[in-house]
Amino acid sequence: MIQSIERSSAVLRLLAAGPDRLRVKEIADALGLPKSTAHGILRTLEHVGFVEQDPRTTRYRLGRGLLDLGDAGLDVNELRSRALDWADALAARTVEAVRIGVLQGDSVRVIHHVFRPDDTTQAMDTGLVVPAHATSLGKILLAYDVTALSLGGLDPYTRKTVTVRRELARALAEVRAQGWASAVEEWESGRAGIAAPMRTFGGLVVGAIGIYGPVERICDSRLRPRPALVEQVRATAHAISRDLSGPRR
Amino acid sequence: MSDRYILAIDQGTTSTRCILFDRRATVVAVARAEHPQSYPRPGWVEHDAARIWRDTQRLITRAMRSAGIGADQVAAIGIANQRETAVVWDRATGVPVAPAIVWQDTRTSSLVSALDPALISERTGLQPATYFSATKVRWLLDHIPGLRARAEKGEVLFGTMDSWLIWNLTGGREHLTDVTNASRTMLMDLSTLSWDPALLDVCTIPQAMLPSIRSSSEVYGAASSVLPGVPIAAAMGDQQAALFGQTCFAAGDAKCTYGTGGFLLMNTGSTPVRSTHGLLTTVGYRIGSEPVAYALEGSIAVAGSLVQWVRDGLGLIGTASEIETLAGTVADNGGCYIVPAFSGLFAPHWRSEARGVIVGLTSYITKGHLARAVLEATGWQTREVVDAMNADSGLALTGLNVDGGMTADNMLMQIVADVLSVPVVRPMVAETVSLGAAYAAGLAVGYWSDLQDLRNNRHSAGRWDPGMDGERRAAEYRRWQRAVQSAVYFSDDQGQT
């Protein structure tokens, strides 16, 4: 048994049971803990959003993060708003279109799209649903989703689409090992994407961010994703994850 | 050869930001610090100008360090600032004589009601209001013993935040303001672009304390202590800077910044357009000795603040972004409309007695419908301002450039496109205020060659095309207008009881 988890659970039960907001001292006394230990547990629970401290009275209560437990996680529109500036910067640096996606059933829903900054006419993809197994965004989301491989049929879109379940499982294991994904002409021929996971507290993946564009720009002559672009995508995902794991605005 | 950059200072109402831009208008470094708002009495809002100057110096150093560059790599400094906020300081010591009176401060409402609206509007293009600097300066002169006598002798100086920062940056050598900031003092004649003696007389403000009025884009002088020798080459009010940063250089180009409220500015070209719909006529920008570009300005009083009310007042959502999620649970507003006239109706209605209403309620209405009505309220308020601008200017808006925090709301942006029936475009550089200041400064020193050069930097990050059928748009607009009438009707009824 892990003692700190037991103690944290006790703190949450205590806050849930009491009609009033509690002081650190009251919580420490109720559980027979040193005040510093209770404080440490409360700070950590506050960090993950499970408790909140009233800034005026300094008393603690249950946090909104607990309400989200039943939902898919972070609200997608909140996710977009938190990632917006980073996504713009990624598009500016790579000169490619940027998309953010979340899992919807066995597909990916695009929740944000930044145009490629080259003044060509582009249509907004926000709201578009794309296949998960054939896109880099989807591979990220499948790789970190526990229900991923119970999905239905793997439709072919091009001759490069992975349609064999065992092959996909192998690809997803590779994604987890390297921390990013690519899909080269697996959904639309001539197009490729690179994506990386956006994580919140404790490493939980809440979405994927990536670039998508012509294969000759995304990949080198041997159709391998360009390392510099991979690095940009990973750095952006990392920066967003750091922001998502910080205090809520 | 090492690369050179433009430093933009965005001195805003709640924070100051220093941003370094490169030639492609990409953000190279950002440093930001919030400063405290002081509310010493009901209706009073003050800033510590000395603190803001200290913050600015620190932020410049921090931005330079984060970009890893030296002063010799800064081609110019440009300033954008919160408008109208008034600072009065001692010329000899550089110490402010009182806290800066912020644009939101309403302590001068009795002074304002004594002003002649026709005279003010004719000379300045503004409607008399506590926002503008004139009555704030007058208040300080009236309330600080001996200040008026010292002002007459030129021992104390007045300026908006641009003047204050430029005076400090140049080590007290330059006391000047740009024409956009001057146009918000309620003391400048909009056609001569100089201080109006009649208005100075009405407000009892001595000419000796005023800064000289310069263009928005020219070399004012060189910085002395921080970034010694670097030319200070631009100043603009923040909303005008956003207009410039959005490259709205042609008559008819417009931008709207969506925050707690909204600010819509339309470039109307080289002659001022007098509004018959209660919009403000203001200076858009002036580059060197070129003709002034004028603008019409209309504000949307309640935009993001309505979403905040749904979050904090009603508790229907946990974060502002969730309004879109909630609105997405329904296909339409279900016949429900919200008119957020929290403190009356502004342009083009100007009914200060009106109060907010929610109309069209049936048992069918859910919180999802309310959320949708909340977003639509911002859309329709934008439509009303745009209609007024089109009517005043004789120009037809062909697209709206947007910026500000609410542009993250995809559904809202689609609604705005739908109700205006024009494309809505979000630029790649979200920091349009800073970018405008950088552009104006870069133009003055030849870092960028001309307006076309600036336009080439502009890229769209997103674009929403109108998708609403014309008949439905017209029907919805009629229902919105009826809802607005009911907000007025309700307040009339209250008045009778």
Side-chain angles (χ1 to χ4, degrees):
Chain A
M1 291 297 168
I2 298 172
Q3 192 187 36
S4 60
I5 295 181
E6 285 183 339
R7 286 174 169 173
S8 311
S9 312
V11 168
L12 290 175
R13 284 181 196 283
L14 199 61
L15 287 169
D20 293 325
R21 296 167 188 189
L22 301 176
R23 291 178 198 283
V24 186
K25 178 83 168 60
E26 292 168 330
I27 292 166
D29 289 350
L31 300 176
L33 294 174
K35 197 175 159 195
S36 61
T37 306
H39 191 241
I41 289 170
L42 285 162
R43 288 283 301 276
T44 308
L45 289 172
E46 188 182 16
H47 176 70
V48 301
F50 284 5
V51 308
E52 285 168 7
Q53 189 182 24
D54 185 323
R56 206 169 40 81
T57 63
T58 72
R59 287 165 182 264
Y60 287 91
R61 63 173 171 200
L62 293 180
R64 287 193 54 83
L66 283 173
L67 302 177
D68 295 343
L69 276 180
D71 299 344
L74 194 60
D75 179 272
V76 298
N77 295 307
E78 175 74 7
L79 182 60
R80 181 197 307 120
S81 127
R82 302 278 293 256
L84 194 74
D85 289 349
W86 297 109
D88 284 354
L90 179 62
R93 271 193 221 113
T94 58
V95 199
E96 296 297 342
V98 170
R99 298 176 195 201
I100 294 177
V102 296
L103 215 50
Q104 176 176 298
D106 55 1
S107 303
V108 175
R109 183 150 66 96
V110 176
I111 62 155
H112 185 51
H113 176 197
V114 184
F115 289 169
R116 188 174 61 250
D118 64 359
D119 287 343
T120 53
T121 307
Q122 297 163 68
M124 201 75 142
D125 285 348
T126 306
L128 196 72
V129 174
V130 300
H133 66 283
T135 58
S136 58
L137 290 177
K139 286 187 192 174
I140 288 292
L141 297 168
L142 292 178
Y144 296 101
D145 190 284
V146 286
T147 58
L149 285 181
S150 62
L151 298 174
L154 303 176
D155 295 336
Y157 296 94
T158 69
R159 52 187 184 79
K160 291 188 184 170
T161 312
V162 179
T163 53
V164 179
R165 198 162 293 275
R166 209 172 43 247
E167 267 179 51
L168 181 63
R170 207 163 35 233
L172 297 182
E174 199 183 316
V175 166
R176 282 190 293 270
Q178 66 186 16
W180 56 276
S182 66
V184 180
E185 303 193 289
E186 293 166 47
W187 177 37
E188 296 170 311
S189 63
R191 316 280 288 172
I194 302 168
M198 300 188 296
R199 298 170 183 273
T200 180
F201 308 110
L204 191 68
V205 173
V206 289
I209 183 166
I211 57 174
Y212 187 69
V215 65
E216 64 275 14
R217 285 213 304 253
I218 303 289
C219 298
D220 61 19
S221 55
R222 299 166 65 186
L223 294 184
R224 283 180 316 207
R226 295 178 192 274
L229 293 178
V230 171
E231 214 25 66
Q232 298 270 23
V233 171
R234 294 188 68 184
T236 301
H238 191 72
I240 296 169
S241 302
R242 210 167 41 222
D243 182 39
L244 292 176
S245 310
R248 292 203 176 188
R249 280 185 294 202
Chain B
M1 194 188 89
S2 55
D3 289 330
R4 304 191 82 204
Y5 305 89
I6 302 285
L7 177 81
I9 302 169
D10 172 7
Q11 203 301 297
T13 307
T14 58
S15 70
T16 304
R17 268 184 282 205
C18 286
I19 302 188
L20 282 161
F21 290 95
D22 68 11
R23 216 171 288 267
R24 287 171 53 213
T26 342
V27 173
V28 176
V30 185
R32 176 177 183 275
E34 294 200 4
H35 54 260
Q37 312 289 311
S38 165
Y39 308 101
R41 293 191 202 181
W44 291 30
V45 188
E46 298 180 340
H47 285 163
D48 177 353
R51 149 93 187 241
I52 286 174
W53 164 235
R54 282 198 303 277
D55 280 356
T56 306
Q57 297 171 79
R58 193 162 50 85
L59 293 169
I60 292 174
T61 313
R62 212 200 288 164
M64 300 286 293
R65 200 180 306 133
S66 118
I69 63 165
D72 57 325
Q73 284 173 273
V74 180
I77 302 169
I79 296 168
N81 57 289
Q82 54 169 318
R83 304 180 299 177
E84 298 122 7
T85 296
V87 193
V88 175
W89 68 94
D90 187 310
R91 183 200 286 272
T93 64
V95 178
V97 301
I101 305 184
V102 179
W103 59 275
Q104 297 143 319
D105 189 297
T106 56
R107 78 181 69 174
T108 59
S109 52
S110 61
L111 291 175
V112 168
S113 51
L115 295 171
D116 171 8
L119 173 76
I120 299 288
S121 158
E122 188 233 312
R123 297 290 166 89
T124 68
L126 307 172
Q127 308 284 331
T130 55
Y131 289 147
F132 309 113
S133 322
T135 57
K136 301 179 194 297
V137 182
R138 158 114 196 231
W139 191 93
L140 289 171
L141 293 172
D142 287 349
H143 287 79
I144 299 179
L147 193 63
R148 174 162 283 117
R150 299 190 63 206
E152 272 157 9
K153 284 187 271 181
E155 291 174 11
V156 293
L157 304 175
F158 153 72
T160 39
M161 279 295 172
D162 55 319
S163 304
W164 168 245
L165 291 180
I166 292 168
W167 193 84
N168 279 292
L169 280 166
T170 59
R173 280 200 307 273
E174 302 294 339
H175 183 222
L176 55 92
T177 188
D178 101 292
V179 64
T180 67
N181 276 295
S183 79
R184 313 298 293 197
T185 56
M186 207 161 72
L187 295 169
M188 189 189 84
D189 184 317
L190 204 55
S191 31
T192 65
L193 307 176
S194 52
W195 301 120
D196 185 305
L199 296 176
L200 292 181
D201 200 43
V202 166
C203 298
T204 66
I205 294 173
Q207 173 103 42
M209 74 186 303
L210 298 179
S212 60
I213 302 175
R214 305 278 284 271
S215 84
S216 323
S217 170
E218 64 174 88
V219 176
Y220 305 130
S224 62
S225 56
V226 272
L227 305 182
V230 175
I232 302 161
M236 275 184 181
D238 50 12
Q239 295 304 326
Q240 280 86 344
L243 184 75
F244 204 72
Q246 287 268 25
T247 66
C248 295
F249 301 144
D253 287 353
K255 72 91 199 176
C256 190
T257 303
Y258 289 103
T260 52
F263 282 98
L264 208 158
L265 270 76
M266 178 193 263
N267 185 329
T268 58
S270 54
T271 45
V273 171
R274 301 292 175 167
S275 176
T276 53
H277 296 85
L279 302 171
L280 302 179
T281 309
T282 195
V283 174
Y285 56 87
R286 182 181 198 181
I287 301 164
S289 53
E290 289 176 28
V292 158
Y294 288 94
L296 277 172
E297 173 172 327
S299 50
I300 295 151
V302 178
S305 51
L306 180 59
V307 178
Q308 284 165 11
W309 175 73
V310 173
R311 183 192 63 195
D312 304 333
L314 298 185
L316 289 181
I317 48 175
T319 65
S321 316
E322 286 169 26
I323 193 79
E324 186 178 352
T325 312
L326 192 52
T329 60
V330 293
D332 56 34
N333 61 22
C336 177
Y337 299 81
I338 300 180
V339 182
F342 288 165
S343 46
L345 288 165
F346 291 71
H349 307 288
W350 296 109
R351 299 293 292 260
S352 57
E353 76 285 7
R355 286 297 173 265
V357 292
I358 301 177
V359 297
L361 291 180
T362 61
S363 61
Y364 168 75
I365 297 296
T366 65
K367 58 187 178 179
H369 298 107
L370 290 178
R372 199 168 269 261
V374 161
L375 295 179
E376 290 179 356
T378 294
W380 292 121
Q381 289 179 92
T382 309
R383 167 73 186 265
E384 290 178 327
V385 171
V386 165
D387 281 2
M389 277 186 184
N390 287 345
D392 281 337
S393 65
L395 301 162
L397 186 79
T398 54
L400 185 66
N401 301 295
V402 293
D403 50 54
M406 280 186 102
T407 56
D409 194 311
N410 193 60
M411 186 185 284
L412 174 64
M413 293 301 105
Q414 185 60 53
I415 288 170
V416 173
D418 284 345
V419 305
L420 296 182
S421 192
V422 298
V424 166
V425 180
R426 184 175 79 85
M428 188 64 81
V429 179
E431 303 279 0
T432 54
V433 171
S434 298
L435 184 60
Y439 275 169
L443 270 186
V445 297
Y447 185 81
W448 286 292
S449 53
D450 53 25
L451 296 182
Q452 189 52 48
D453 197 9
L454 300 182
R455 271 239 172 86
N456 293 341
N457 284 326
R458 187 193 160 89
H459 300 295
S460 308
R463 174 187 162 113
W464 293 266
D465 287 304
M468 194 186 250
D469 146 273
E471 250 171 65
R472 179 154 163 249
R473 181 185 308 118
E476 285 289 316
Y477 195 19
R478 275 196 304 276
R479 284 194 282 271
W480 162 261
Q481 287 167 321
R482 275 208 296 277
V484 168
Q485 284 161 20
S486 59
V488 176
Y489 177 78
F490 178 71
S491 61
D492 282 354
D493 191 49
Q494 269 190 327
Q496 283 157 18
T497 54

